[in-house]
Amino acid sequence: MKTFIISTSTTEHLAKKIKERTKSFKIIFPEKSKEGKRCFPDGEVYMKISKANRLRQKRVVVLHSGAPEPNQGLVELELILQILKDNKVKPEVFFTYFPYSMQDKVFEKGETNMAENLVKKLVNYYKVKKIYIIDPHFGGMGWVKKYPINSVSAVPFLIKKARQDFGKDILFLSPDKGGKRRTGILGLKKERLDSFKVEIFSSRLNFKRRILGVVDDIIETGGTLLKFYDLAKKSGAKKIIVLATHGILPAGILKIKKKYSKLYLTNTIKQKEANIDITALILKNIV
Ligand code: R5P
């Protein structure tokens, strides 16, 4: 039975690559408005899958990335899932990057765990059977186990590439404990003061003459990795490279690229600086 992949506008770059690589999937790019646009003039999202009624009893995977434009993307995703629900299709969803993933717990009273709420809605309301997520920010958290989530990691992919270029002796580190929870790679202590300012603490680090590979899930403002660089440099590192899965803000990515000896960044989010293609990782998991 052929698998149908429905691509939102954030994953068109990946869906096109899948189409080039294999004939095992039928790719659906939802139709646009009469003006050829994804949004109406007032900003509301338009969505149409005219052959949705033919997808009943078929395996359907919706491919989505939570960036750029997380809010528009979310509405696109919900409209697609609603159209599928209207047509009695129970799909799977593959997130190359999960939107709202950093709001993954109630940090302060009066907030909500948006990441879990979204997962809950997909499973309970839209009847999504399986959710694949590449390097979810909430990987390893307790609540994740309650849902049919399949975490897929790009980290082994990134490490393999870095070792090919810089040899086997790279010392891999996470910039914070969250990184350690997700990957098992030793992490430093980090405190985030606001969206732009972070502090990383360490005592008695000695990276003399080492090649350091800092492994992080996300580059947003670049604040975390800039701080990490200063610390690692002071501690004597010879070379420092970055292995990152999701590149969210181009300005942050460029700052990191300039500072570090090398940046390995995947294309889970469409970015000019992405140099590691994860199409094979997607295919390996959904075949
Ligand atoms: C934080 O917990 C994440 O793992 C990343 O380290 C963080 O989101 C990166 O953001 P920024 O580039 O803005 O420091």
Side-chain angles (χ1 to χ4, degrees):
M1 187 172 66
K2 231 183 178 121
T3 296
F4 290 78
I5 295 180
I6 303 179
S7 169
T8 65
S9 53
T10 55
T11 48
E12 281 175 6
H13 64 299
L14 295 166
K16 282 178 190 155
K17 282 182 191 288
I18 293 174
K19 201 171 174 179
E20 281 161 21
R21 271 185 183 226
T22 167
K23 302 246 172 302
S24 315
F25 300 96
K26 175 104 187 73
I27 313 279
I28 299 175
F29 295 104
E31 291 118 278
K32 295 188 173 151
S33 71
K34 294 202 166 55
E35 297 79 40
K37 301 256 167 66
R38 179 56 63 218
C39 290
F40 286 113
D42 60 3
E44 287 184 4
V45 174
Y46 175 75
M47 190 56 65
K48 179 178 174 186
I49 304 168
S50 53
K51 291 185 179 144
N53 61 334
R54 298 196 200 156
L55 297 176
R56 203 172 297 170
Q57 309 293 343
K58 300 281 192 311
R59 181 174 181 226
V60 177
V61 180
V62 181
L63 187 63
H64 179 60
S65 176
E69 307 293 348
N71 301 322
Q72 180 185 319
L74 214 42
V75 178
E76 275 190 35
L77 178 67
E78 289 224 27
L79 286 171
I80 290 172
L81 293 176
Q82 187 62 51
I83 292 168
L84 294 175
K85 185 177 159 86
D86 294 347
N87 285 279
K88 303 201 166 29
V89 179
K90 291 184 181 167
E92 297 165 37
V93 179
F94 195 117
F95 290 96
T96 58
Y97 170 63
F98 193 91
Y100 285 80
S101 58
M102 282 178 277
Q103 297 188 52
D104 56 6
K105 66 176 179 190
V106 175
F107 294 87
E108 290 176 14
K109 205 169 144 203
E111 297 174 348
T112 189
N113 181 342
M114 177 61 179
E116 182 176 4
N117 291 336
L118 177 56
V119 168
K120 222 185 271 178
K121 195 202 280 184
L122 296 190
V123 175
N124 296 340
Y125 179 73
Y126 293 114
K127 306 294 175 206
V128 171
K129 291 193 289 194
K130 201 175 207 175
I131 302 171
Y132 303 85
I133 311 173
I134 298 184
D135 290 330
H137 188 67
F138 39 77
M141 283 189 160
W143 63 261
V144 176
K145 292 189 205 91
K146 292 192 272 173
Y147 306 99
I149 292 177
N150 192 343
S151 288
V152 174
S153 185
V155 174
F157 227 62
L158 290 163
I159 287 184
K160 190 172 164 202
K161 190 75 191 112
R163 282 193 171 136
Q164 276 166 6
D165 296 344
F166 290 89
K168 293 244 179 308
D169 288 333
I170 308 169
L171 172 64
F172 293 104
L173 281 176
S174 304
D176 51 37
K177 303 278 182 236
K180 175 155 193 295
R181 189 195 67 236
R182 285 186 294 273
T183 61
I185 297 171
L186 182 72
L188 305 183
K189 186 168 178 285
K190 179 175 107 178
E191 201 174 302
R192 180 171 285 286
L193 307 173
D194 62 29
S195 299
F196 299 91
K197 287 195 215 106
V198 292
E199 287 296 342
I200 298 183
F201 306 95
S202 66
S203 55
R204 287 181 273 113
L205 289 179
N206 184 356
F207 299 142
K208 263 212 170 89
R209 291 188 289 280
R210 297 299 306 258
I211 301 178
L212 288 190
V214 53
V215 180
D216 208 357
D217 59 337
I218 292 168
I219 300 175
E220 195 169 336
T221 65
T224 300
L225 291 177
L226 290 178
K227 263 270 143 57
F228 181 90
Y229 182 92
D230 292 341
L231 194 86
K233 212 56 203 168
K234 264 194 215 140
S235 309
K238 178 169 82 173
K239 232 178 214 144
I240 320 169
I241 61 174
V242 176
L243 296 78
T245 306
H246 312 294
I248 300 186
L249 298 180
I253 297 168
L254 280 177
K255 281 185 206 160
I256 300 308
K257 196 183 167 193
K258 260 191 179 164
K259 195 119 201 173
Y260 280 81
S261 296
K262 176 82 186 178
L263 165 67
Y264 294 99
L265 177 67
T266 84
N267 59 353
T268 58
I269 298 167
K270 190 177 178 196
Q271 290 294 0
K272 206 167 142 246
E273 305 302 335
N275 50 10
I276 305 287
D277 178 29
I278 43 87
T279 313
L281 195 62
I282 299 174
L283 290 174
K284 196 173 140 202
N285 281 277
I286 59 171
V287 162

